[in-house]
Amino acid sequence: MPSSRRAILGHIMSGLCSKMNRTKPVPADVMETPLKRCLTTFDIALLGIGHMVGAGIYVLTGTVAKEMAGPGIILSFVLAGFVSMLAALCYAEFGTRVPKAGSAYVYTYISIGEFWAFVIGWNILLEHMLGAASVARAWSGYVDSMLGGWIANTTLSLMGGIHEPGLAQYPDVLAFLVCIIYAAALGSGVKATAVFNSILTLVNIGVMIVVISVGFWYADANNWSEAEGGFLPYGFGGVIAGAATCFYAFVGFDSIATSGEEAKNPSVSIPIATVLSLCVVTLGYILVSAALTLMIPISEINPAASLPEAFGQLQLPWAKYIISIGALCGMTTTLLGSLYALPRCMYAMASDGLLFSCFGRINTSTQVPLLNLIISGLLSAALALVFDLAKLVEFMSIGTLLAYTIVSASVIILRYRPITHLGSPNPVYAPDTPEDENDEDAESQSSIDTASPTSDLIEGALAGRLKPQFRWLEPLLGRFAPGSVVSVCVLLFIVLSFAICLELKVSWTELYTGTWWALIVYGFIIFAASTCVAIMAVHNQNTRGLNFKVPLVPFVPALGIFCNIMLMVHLDALTWVRFFVWVSIGMVVYFLYGIRHSKEGEVCSSYSILMTSSEAGKLNWGSFKGSRSSTAAKHTVLERFMGRSKLEDKKPIVEEEYDEENAESPH
């Protein structure tokens, strides 16, 4: 009996792990969608700019310059923009692979598995809810400051204050109404929303140009002198702390990837809009920060309304009103961006069966998920009503950084994952990739890179295998299935990155003073992490059909993973507690509903991003060798995790394809 119970328990756990690790295949026609494809590259770029340029430039700039970095806020924005660009490049590559709503959730579902996809999707929902609530709160606070605090005083006199820790001082009714009104406006349709967003974003950019021009005209270099504290009055540590806060100003570019299912030409528009919008926003933040710190000394900056007060001190009242208009336009576009992305993430998860099916419905007239929009508006409004802005911003960062980390890891995993052709007579291409061998772009490529079935097959089959110059590592690394070694190295690199960041935070004094045990431990961890990246780099990649590729893989995504983890480790401990509470609620939803109603069900799915649905086969993360028939021998749990291949997996590539063709040819 005990052995029977163990066998039953082992069977249940094996089935549970199989369901949690199942991946989503890309449909044969990735361009097919019930949503309306009407957005151009210009629309999507302005959507990203509008989502980023809002509360960050009008609220955070003064706070960071006054309390954290001084004029060194310029370096803070450079560092925060650099970290965001590392993640943005990964999002851009995925946007060309999978032009679907859901952003990081969909990318994780296709590359890693259902469980981690749900975790990411669940946190993206929280990110956009908190983002909308925080901007609504900032919008209300800005209007209140323009009215001399009349809204706050009136609310306190009529309704009284909230005397609970972690909540706002008073219920912000204006922020509540702002969320409801803008959610209702988004129900008119995506094209009307895009036009409205574009107009407000252009106004905001115009105001930024005015601020920069007038600011540099009245610039005084003495404000950066030693008499005022110098360029780095808080030291380089203040620059790092400022960068962690300024990172909030770049949250929003992932809404560009969310619009992939409504873009006319996503494989071109998504990468261009992502990189362009982030470059424009970073440049704008740097110039505005420089203008602010050059106009007035940092000791005279008002954190609540830094730019209007700065121009007021220069006796320029007209500029104060122009800036106020730009601030409201900027925060409006940021709010629209969050309320635009949130319903579409809910729709993507519901379409896969991981959330309740009612969230997967699209209104036939507006082609917008209206129920999702109503729920999103009400939840965001409720958060904006009772929570303080600082708490909302801090809680939002951890989910965003986790999503960026997983997307960067997914790029590495998919680059080294082989494409398995199960008898398909035609090569498989990425969306919008020309299938004509005589295409003008193909003429300039090398012979291995031409759009021919043979080159497609060779590059896809070589992915995840050792490069020719590193064949001497075959006895050590060649015993495992292609791609499995890279996946294990990615997992180890993430764990070691956490260890490095924790060591820096906890034992910085010992490292700085040269304590021998701290240096040995830290050196060993760095060596192990570097070895993981080096092992990834000695394998062949598969880049077929990608209109946009992240440069220097695996180094750029690995650097992005490390930077994101570094910022996560420096978050407050209470933020981590709130994060785990939210994830625990998500686990209840997933294990009671999502895992049972998943559209993948018991159907075998594929991790291969370029495979059609007819080619999909059951493959879990860490198990990279699909069975050729239903009667194939099963691997043990250890063999499946390590991806240990059988003897028949060692046959030459050409011989494998020859055997498959003979097996399919009629006798």
Side-chain angles (χ1 to χ4, degrees):
M1 288 296 293
S3 60
S4 300
R5 285 197 295 268
R6 284 196 298 269
I8 294 173
L9 181 61
H11 178 74
I12 293 174
M13 294 303 298
S14 177
L16 182 64
C17 292
S18 177
K19 290 178 180 179
M20 292 171 62
N21 285 322
R22 57 195 172 194
T23 51
K24 178 181 179 178
V26 180
D29 186 6
V30 293
M31 297 295 288
E32 182 180 353
T33 174
L35 300 176
K36 186 178 182 180
R37 290 198 178 274
C38 57
L39 299 181
T40 64
T41 303
F42 183 72
D43 293 331
I44 299 172
L46 288 181
L47 176 68
I49 294 173
H51 199 170
M52 285 184 279
V53 179
I57 196 167
Y58 295 105
V59 178
L60 284 183
T61 305
T63 302
V64 174
K66 172 81 171 181
E67 302 173 358
M68 296 183 182
I73 186 177
I74 297 173
L75 300 180
S76 296
F77 273 120
V78 170
L79 290 176
F82 174 73
V83 174
S84 299
M85 181 61 76
L86 295 176
L89 292 173
C90 297
Y91 271 85
E93 177 172 320
F94 264 116
T96 65
R97 288 180 181 267
V98 196
K100 292 292 183 181
S103 188
Y105 157 74
V106 175
Y107 307 158
T108 307
Y109 205 163
I110 288 171
S111 59
I112 295 180
E114 183 175 287
F115 174 77
W116 283 107
F118 181 87
V119 172
I120 292 300
W122 188 250
N123 282 286
I124 287 176
L125 298 182
L126 179 66
E127 170 197 336
H128 290 308
M129 270 193 293
L130 295 175
S134 64
V135 175
R137 194 87 194 188
W139 197 99
S140 173
Y142 209 88
V143 172
D144 188 40
S145 67
M146 292 171 59
L147 298 177
W150 179 82
I151 296 177
N153 295 331
T154 304
T155 305
L156 286 171
S157 62
L158 294 177
M159 304 177 65
I162 301 177
H163 305 289
E164 294 293 334
L167 299 181
Q169 294 180 353
Y170 62 92
D172 197 333
V173 179
L174 179 59
F176 180 89
L177 294 176
V178 165
C179 282
I180 298 297
I181 292 172
Y182 285 138
L186 283 168
S188 60
V190 64
K191 189 59 181 178
T193 302
V195 172
F196 181 61
N197 178 82
S198 298
I199 294 173
L200 293 181
T201 302
L202 291 175
V203 171
N204 193 18
I205 292 174
V207 171
M208 287 178 61
I209 293 174
V210 171
V211 169
I212 294 168
S213 302
V214 177
F216 278 104
W217 180 265
Y218 287 92
D220 184 1
N222 292 325
N223 291 325
W224 286 5
S225 64
E226 292 297 329
E228 298 293 339
F231 186 74
L232 298 176
Y234 299 95
F236 195 72
V239 172
I240 300 297
T245 304
C246 291
F247 183 80
Y248 166 77
F250 294 94
V251 172
F253 69 81
D254 52 343
S255 63
I256 295 175
T258 305
S259 67
E261 204 160 338
E262 291 163 295
K264 291 181 179 179
N265 190 3
S267 65
V268 174
S269 299
I270 298 299
I272 292 177
T274 300
V275 176
L276 178 63
S277 62
L278 201 58
C279 290
V280 170
V281 168
T282 303
L283 181 61
Y285 280 152
I286 291 172
L287 293 177
V288 169
S289 301
L292 174 65
T293 53
L294 282 171
M295 280 191 296
I296 59 175
I298 59 172
S299 58
E300 299 179 11
I301 293 177
N302 180 7
S306 56
L307 291 175
E309 292 296 330
F311 281 96
Q313 293 184 30
L314 296 176
Q315 306 301 319
L316 299 173
W318 59 269
K320 181 177 181 179
Y321 293 106
I322 291 179
I323 293 169
S324 299
I325 293 173
L328 294 180
C329 289
M331 286 185 276
T332 297
T333 57
T334 305
L335 181 58
L336 287 174
S338 294
L339 291 176
Y340 168 84
L342 178 55
R344 283 150 183 82
C345 291
M346 295 172 65
Y347 159 75
M349 296 180 71
S351 299
D352 294 329
L354 301 186
L355 282 184
F356 306 110
S357 59
C358 59
F359 296 133
R361 298 170 185 167
I362 301 293
N363 184 272
T364 54
S365 58
T366 61
Q367 292 182 289
V368 170
L370 281 183
L371 177 62
N372 302 7
L373 192 56
I374 294 171
I375 299 297
S376 303
L378 289 174
L379 290 177
S380 300
L383 290 174
L385 182 67
V386 297
F387 280 98
D388 186 56
L389 175 63
K391 302 296 181 183
L392 292 171
V393 171
E394 187 178 5
F395 193 19
M396 185 177 69
S397 298
I398 189 167
T400 305
L401 290 168
L402 179 63
Y404 291 176
T405 301
I406 296 297
V407 169
S408 299
S410 299
V411 166
I412 300 176
I413 291 171
L414 285 182
R415 279 288 192 97
Y416 293 98
R417 188 171 282 180
I419 300 176
T420 307
H421 295 265
L422 301 179
S424 176
N426 300 317
V428 182
Y429 297 90
D432 298 338
T433 301
E435 299 186 15
D436 186 5
E437 295 183 24
N438 297 322
D439 183 74
E440 57 182 6
D441 293 333
E443 295 178 3
S444 62
Q445 297 174 346
S446 61
S447 59
I448 190 66
D449 204 31
T450 55
S452 66
T454 303
S455 62
D456 242 6
L457 193 63
I458 292 175
E459 183 171 348
L462 286 176
R465 300 173 185 264
L466 288 170
K467 295 178 180 178
Q469 60 268 38
F470 298 104
R471 291 294 184 188
W472 54 275
L473 293 173
E474 189 78 28
L476 180 62
L477 303 177
R479 299 179 298 147
F480 307 103
S484 61
V485 173
V486 174
S487 293
V488 172
C489 286
V490 171
L491 177 62
L492 289 175
F493 179 78
I494 293 175
V495 174
L496 292 170
S497 296
F498 265 108
I500 292 173
C501 296
L502 286 173
E503 180 79 9
L504 282 174
K505 183 178 181 181
V506 175
S507 305
W508 170 250
T509 304
E510 288 78 4
L511 288 171
Y512 185 76
T513 56
T515 306
W516 65 270
W517 64 265
L519 293 175
I520 292 176
V521 172
Y522 194 63
F524 174 77
I525 297 175
I526 292 179
F527 173 77
S530 303
T531 302
C532 289
V533 177
I535 292 176
M536 299 177 206
V538 301
H539 290 80
N540 287 300
Q541 299 182 24
N542 173 39
T543 59
R544 288 298 304 168
L546 291 178
N547 290 343
F548 178 85
K549 296 185 287 289
V550 177
L552 300 176
V553 174
F555 304 105
V556 169
L559 181 59
I561 291 172
F562 180 81
C563 293
N564 293 328
I565 292 174
M566 174 67 78
L567 295 177
M568 289 174 68
V569 167
H570 283 79
L571 291 174
D572 186 70
L574 189 58
T575 302
W576 281 93
V577 173
R578 296 192 191 104
F579 170 74
F580 283 119
V581 170
W582 174 253
V583 171
S584 299
I585 297 173
M587 292 301 96
V588 174
V589 175
Y590 176 70
F591 286 108
L592 292 184
Y593 182 87
I595 197 171
R596 298 167 54 193
H597 294 82
S598 173
K599 294 295 178 65
E600 299 306 312
E602 297 300 325
V603 179
C604 296
S605 60
S606 169
Y607 54 67
S608 179
I609 191 64
L610 300 181
M611 289 172 62
T612 60
S613 56
S614 62
E615 296 170 324
K618 181 70 174 179
L619 288 161
N620 293 334
W621 188 32
S623 177
F624 295 88
K625 196 67 181 176
S627 58
R628 296 179 183 269
S629 66
S630 59
T631 59
K634 295 183 178 179
H635 294 283
T636 65
V637 175
L638 180 61
E639 287 174 337
R640 282 184 302 199
F641 175 76
M642 296 299 295
R644 186 178 296 277
S645 57
K646 291 181 174 294
L647 292 176
E648 57 267 23
D649 297 340
K650 296 298 182 181
K651 294 193 299 183
I653 299 170
V654 178
E655 183 181 338
E656 288 182 2
E657 300 303 325
Y658 177 77
D659 291 344
E660 290 178 4
E661 292 175 2
N662 288 344
E664 294 180 358
S665 61
H667 295 286

